[in-house]
Amino acid sequence: MSRGSGGGYDRHITIFSPEGRLFQVEYAFKAVKAAGITSIGVRGKDSVCVVTQKKVPDKLLDHTSVTHLFPITKYLGLLATGVTADARTLVQQARNEAAEFRFRYGYEMPVDVLAKWIADKSQIYTQHAYMRPLGVVAMVLGIDEEYGPRLYKCDPAGHYFGHKATSAGLKEQEAINFLEKKMKNDPQFTYEETVQTAISALQSVLQEDFKATEIEVGVVRKENPVFRVLSTEEIDEHLTAISERD
Amino acid sequence: MGDSQYSFSLTTFSPSGKLVQIEHALTAVGSGQTSLGIKAANGVVIATEKKLPSILVDETSVQKIQILTPNIGVVYSGMGPDFRVLVRKSRKQAEQYHRLYKEPIPVTQLVRETAAVMQEFTQSGGVRPFGVSLLVAGYDDKGPQLYQVDPSGSYFSWKASAMGKNVSNAKTFLEKRYTDDMELDDAVHTAILTLKEGFEGQISGKNIEIGIIGADKKFRVLTPAEIDDYLAEVE
């Protein structure tokens, strides 16, 4: 039984290829794109907003059970883009970890601590052969006591960064190009501007106008640091404001 | 460590006697962002490029140079997530040493223990080697020290070293510029000039990181403003 580069196992488990790459990690990124959904996150002056597509493939499905937006604690939200089953596992573990943190240390888990925990767990899967990397890119959002609104993105390779705005999924690169132009001069968006930038970025990149039932929107605001999923009425208001603006 | 299904080493000898997984790990290091370290007569400086994938990334949320103990700092080239694991383990080892001996861990000891961890991952079952090389900068009773640790777990003490993409140019540059009686300030200038050599784009306090430790034995990372001041001096 040969191991190492000659054996071709570098594509099956997370060992190095001759070029120093980890193919399993790269394939995990492809799995995120294969889910066919794009997500966007934008950080404003005193709020953070995440938006994702809501594709219900079958009319018989209970559409309220189709979601990629998960509250981890009352104050932290997670938008998972990619393989739904992997996302649910990650969310379950994150919820557990955040609850234990609160119990152990007596204060709420900060956004960056959760992001780091998710990223460190992802790193383990890239180094140990017995578990494959998860096909999920996680955007974590919340209001930090010291630093204010925070948006972090964690990927299958174990990287995590704070972002002013970011994207994940099928049209990730197009969305990032769009957002780079919008965020070029470090604008300090109000809550309405933050939400509308996120939604219009998604509309522009996918080149379609959405109905309120076709997208999911999650927000945290400094004045009310609870993670909230917007209702269809609220989403409608924002969509109307965007179309009136254009 | 690892599942019993993988209780065999993934890093094994090839017929020519090479450990190819380690070589591939070194290739991964070689494609990472350039970093370097210089030992001066009265301190050590380590520096790295900090190129982020997009302007949308909040650069204040990323710090590549990390503190292991108040008098030891570390920088890497290669895979960021692997680096975080090693930083965490090293910090714990330093703290355990302190708890046992009631004194700060000497630089050589910390380097040795970190290197031992990296070696374990080249031999244990079901794991791959770390895709990082480390530059450890410290100042203890034996004076200023700079060590480089490779994915294989081997480590050497250096007067000056570089790792990552631009390693051969950087090392040639350092060989020309290095003098044994360099002061810390000169070393910082030399470090900046070396990074500038292979730098694509406009160098500034926002896209490089510099960490220094002087005779005060306190390792610290320079602020972007301080780096900009040094850059102005170098112009």
Side-chain angles (χ1 to χ4, degrees):
Chain A
M1 211 195 309
S2 69
R3 297 270 160 227
S5 65
Y9 284 95
D10 49 353
R11 292 187 183 267
H12 296 272
I13 50 175
T14 50
I15 57 176
F16 284 113
S17 76
E19 304 85 41
R21 292 156 66 179
L22 294 172
F23 280 114
Q24 274 294 297
V25 174
E26 295 183 19
Y27 297 161
F29 276 96
K30 293 212 175 122
V32 173
K33 288 204 185 292
I37 299 206
T38 307
S39 309
I40 307 240
V42 178
R43 183 183 87 191
K45 184 155 170 255
D46 44 26
S47 61
V48 187
C49 173
V50 289
V51 178
T52 185
Q53 291 173 264
K54 184 165 171 167
K55 282 194 180 164
V56 185
D58 192 338
K59 281 212 199 96
L60 295 172
L61 270 175
D62 178 0
H63 67 93
T64 57
S65 73
V66 177
T67 179
H68 292 87
L69 265 180
F70 304 94
I72 303 296
T73 67
K74 211 164 132 189
Y75 307 100
L76 296 178
L78 192 151
L79 172 57
T81 313
V83 181
T84 325
D86 287 3
R88 288 188 188 271
T89 302
L90 179 64
V91 164
Q92 198 59 20
Q93 292 171 345
R95 284 174 173 164
N96 190 51
E97 189 61 28
E100 279 190 15
F101 185 99
R102 171 68 183 81
F103 177 73
R104 223 182 281 142
Y105 301 111
Y107 70 99
E108 292 291 333
M109 195 176 203
V111 197
D112 59 324
V113 176
L114 178 63
K116 188 167 194 212
W117 182 82
I118 293 174
D120 285 344
K121 211 151 208 281
S122 307
Q123 191 279 340
I124 294 180
Y125 302 146
T126 73
Q127 197 166 21
H128 294 252
Y130 68 102
M131 292 276 273
R132 62 164 174 80
L134 293 177
V136 179
V137 167
M139 282 192 222
V140 190
L141 61 156
I143 306 291
D144 185 281
E145 274 177 15
E146 273 181 83
Y147 300 112
R150 292 282 112 174
L151 171 68
Y152 282 85
K153 186 168 82 167
C154 315
D155 63 27
H159 286 117
Y160 81 107
F161 294 122
H163 286 266
K164 301 168 194 168
T166 190
S167 168
L170 189 57
K171 300 270 176 186
E172 176 178 342
Q173 196 48 52
E174 292 91 331
I176 287 185
N177 296 341
F178 180 94
L179 290 166
E180 278 182 358
K181 289 197 206 103
K182 287 261 169 173
M183 311 284 292
K184 214 156 92 170
N185 298 312
D186 213 10
Q188 300 285 322
F189 286 140
T190 64
Y191 167 67
E192 284 76 20
E193 287 172 328
T194 308
V195 178
Q196 283 164 29
T197 306
I199 297 179
S200 54
L202 196 59
Q203 290 192 146
S204 157
V205 152
L206 296 171
Q207 285 169 349
E208 60 179 275
D209 285 325
F210 294 117
K211 293 204 280 275
T213 49
E214 290 171 342
I215 57 174
E216 285 186 279
V217 184
V219 299
V220 281
R221 304 177 64 170
K222 225 179 184 173
E223 55 183 52
N224 184 19
V226 173
F227 173 71
R228 248 182 10 99
V229 178
L230 296 188
S231 65
T232 21
E233 290 81 34
E234 288 171 300
I235 300 179
D236 246 327
E237 278 174 28
H238 287 288
L239 286 168
T240 321
I242 292 174
S243 59
E244 278 175 7
R245 196 189 62 198
D246 293 334
Chain B
M1 79 180 68
D3 213 38
S4 60
Q5 274 216 311
Y6 277 98
S7 324
F8 51 85
S9 180
L10 300 176
T11 308
T12 52
F13 287 108
S14 71
S16 55
K18 290 200 275 189
L19 290 168
V20 273
Q21 274 297 299
I22 296 179
E23 310 224 339
H24 300 336
L26 283 162
T27 314
V29 170
S31 45
Q33 290 181 11
T34 312
S35 61
L36 57 94
I38 303 177
K39 184 171 71 178
N42 59 340
V44 192
V45 58
I46 49 178
T48 180
E49 285 181 2
K50 188 163 111 171
K51 289 255 182 70
L52 296 168
S54 160
I55 56 160
L56 296 173
V57 175
D58 184 353
E59 74 275 358
T60 59
S61 78
V62 180
Q63 201 179 327
K64 287 178 74 172
I65 299 186
Q66 292 286 332
I67 297 187
L68 296 181
T69 71
N71 65 324
I72 305 177
V74 65
V75 74
Y76 74 101
S77 277
M79 303 167 73
D82 287 9
F83 175 64
R84 288 202 312 268
V85 173
L86 287 170
V87 166
R88 179 177 265 149
K89 288 200 201 263
S90 301
R91 283 173 176 164
K92 193 163 184 184
Q93 284 163 336
E95 198 51 42
Q96 285 170 339
Y97 182 99
H98 187 269
R99 190 150 70 92
L100 186 53
Y101 298 108
K102 290 281 185 278
E103 64 160 43
I105 188 170
V107 183
T108 44
Q109 303 275 37
L110 186 55
V111 168
R112 195 172 46 75
E113 292 190 18
T114 308
V117 169
M118 292 172 83
Q119 189 282 336
E120 268 176 43
F121 276 72
T122 67
Q123 203 176 10
S124 299
V127 292
R128 63 163 173 80
F130 285 96
V132 290
S133 279
L134 305 175
L135 273 172
V136 183
Y139 202 126
D140 61 16
D141 298 328
K142 295 202 194 67
Q145 291 161 76
L146 177 68
Y147 284 90
Q148 181 174 331
V149 194
D150 285 334
S152 59
S154 61
Y155 61 94
F156 296 102
S157 176
W158 290 81
K159 297 178 193 175
S161 184
M163 339 184 280
K165 264 194 214 124
N166 206 30
V167 63
S168 45
N169 285 342
K171 277 199 169 168
T172 320
F173 192 89
L174 286 170
E175 274 174 32
K176 280 199 215 115
R177 292 261 176 155
Y178 185 82
T179 60
D180 282 317
D181 54 1
M182 245 180 169
E183 297 264 312
L184 187 54
D185 260 1
D186 300 325
V188 177
H189 290 131
T190 309
I192 290 178
L193 287 169
T194 318
L195 275 181
K196 234 180 152 187
E197 278 286 295
F199 202 87
E200 288 163 20
Q202 181 69 2
I203 198 171
S204 83
K206 284 200 182 164
N207 50 25
I208 60 171
E209 256 183 53
I210 301 183
I212 57 170
I213 181 164
D216 60 353
K217 295 193 193 166
K218 289 228 166 0
F219 184 85
R220 65 186 194 85
V221 180
L222 299 181
T223 64
E226 289 171 308
I227 298 180
D228 281 325
D229 287 339
Y230 275 106
L231 277 166
E233 286 172 25
V234 154
E235 293 295 331

